Amino acid sequence: MVVMGASAPNIAFLDAEGRSRNLEEWRGRFILLTFFSRTCKVCAREVPKLQEFAAKRAPDGVVLPVESTSASAGEVAAFASTYNVSMPLFHDPTWKAPEAYLVKRVPQVYIIAPDFTVLEDVVGEASLDFYNIRFKRFFP
């Protein structure tokens, strides 16, 4: 269960090559853990926006988009191609990752501090300015 101010659940998900990855791999960085659906119109706008945020914040911050509807690697790749997303996209065919974060609707973004503390969550579409302001708020 996700509790703001508590430690983030260490979830597993798959990369494009089918390798299992763990959220813990990115401990020490500012993380925007993003749950999305390849069929969601809002997600189609949100994921490219977060890619832009990630490009400006690397190496201090990372965006980890996890497809949350049991899509295959091929379906996630098709989403990336359609919406010109070049950052790594992940998927979880077991649906355990979004379940661990109690995802009810997408997009849903969890902001996680380098010490793995869950700072806040954002449900629905947000502006790029919103994410930049949050980053500056937590990392001045």
Side-chain angles (χ1 to χ4, degrees):
M1 183 163 140
V2 178
V3 177
M4 298 308 136
S7 186
N10 183 30
I11 54 171
F13 38 83
L14 302 177
D15 65 17
E17 288 77 40
R19 291 182 304 245
S20 182
R21 307 293 298 267
N22 290 303
L23 186 62
E24 185 75 32
E25 294 175 41
W26 289 275
R27 182 184 283 272
R29 297 176 71 188
F30 179 83
I31 301 169
L32 291 181
L33 176 62
T34 305
F35 292 100
F36 75 99
S37 167
R38 65 185 171 77
T39 60
C40 166
K41 300 288 185 205
V42 174
C43 300
R45 294 188 303 268
E46 193 74 357
V47 173
K49 189 184 320 172
L50 289 170
Q51 175 176 267
E52 184 179 339
F53 174 83
K56 291 179 180 175
R57 298 299 174 195
D60 298 323
V62 63
V63 175
L64 301 175
V66 178
E67 209 289 338
S68 61
T69 63
S70 304
S72 70
E75 291 167 325
V76 174
F79 174 91
S81 177
T82 299
Y83 297 104
N84 298 316
V85 176
S86 58
M87 72 177 166
L89 298 179
F90 303 92
H91 67 287
D92 178 17
T94 68
W95 213 78
K96 289 181 181 176
E99 190 174 77
Y101 277 82
L102 306 174
V103 174
K104 299 284 189 254
R105 81 179 245 241
V106 291
Q108 185 160 355
V109 178
Y110 284 90
I111 301 173
I112 302 170
D115 68 359
F116 232 53
T117 301
V118 179
L119 300 173
E120 68 180 292
D121 68 333
V122 181
V123 179
E125 190 168 13
S127 70
L128 188 56
D129 285 342
F130 173 86
Y131 291 112
N132 284 320
I133 289 166
R134 287 300 188 260
F135 184 85
K136 288 176 187 173
R137 176 178 158 209
F138 296 120
F139 302 98

